């Protein structure tokens, strides 16, 4: 997980166990001060990436499609 976008982005490690794992389990305990937007970037494949949106507890999302690409 990263706090900046791109193949060489800045790793985000707050509350994360096993960040950068290639075979295993990544565990993320989302903290109250987590940024609202984070990025996934595979370290082996530049085209495997995405945006992670951290929502407040009371936020309502009608469907996952509402988040977009």
């Amino acid at each position: 997980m990263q706090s900046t976008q791109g193949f060489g982005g800045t790793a985000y490690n707050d509350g994360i166990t096993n960040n950068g794992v290639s075979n295993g389990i990544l565990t993320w305990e989302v903290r109250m001060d987590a940024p609202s937007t984070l990025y996934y970037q595979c370290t082996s494949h530049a085209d495997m990436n995405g945006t992670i949106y951290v929502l407040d507890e009371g936020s309502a999302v009608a469907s996952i499609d509402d988040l977009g690409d």
Side-chain angles (χ1 to χ4, degrees):
M1 219 172 312
Q2 301 179 163
S3 59
T4 56
Q5 211 169 8
F7 199 68
T10 304
Y12 177 81
N13 293 303
D14 291 350
I16 297 178
T17 303
N18 216 10
N19 203 3
V21 65
S22 61
N23 185 12
I25 298 172
L26 180 144
T27 304
W28 180 23
E29 181 181 328
V30 181
R31 299 194 174 159
M32 296 299 292
D33 63 347
S36 59
T37 305
L38 290 166
Y39 304 94
Y40 168 77
Q41 177 64 62
C42 176
T43 56
S44 299
H45 306 95
D47 290 336
M48 290 179 67
N49 60 70
T51 306
I52 301 166
Y53 299 100
V54 179
L55 304 175
D56 292 331
E57 184 177 347
S59 297
V61 177
S63 76
I64 196 71
D65 294 330
D66 291 342
L67 296 176
D69 292 331

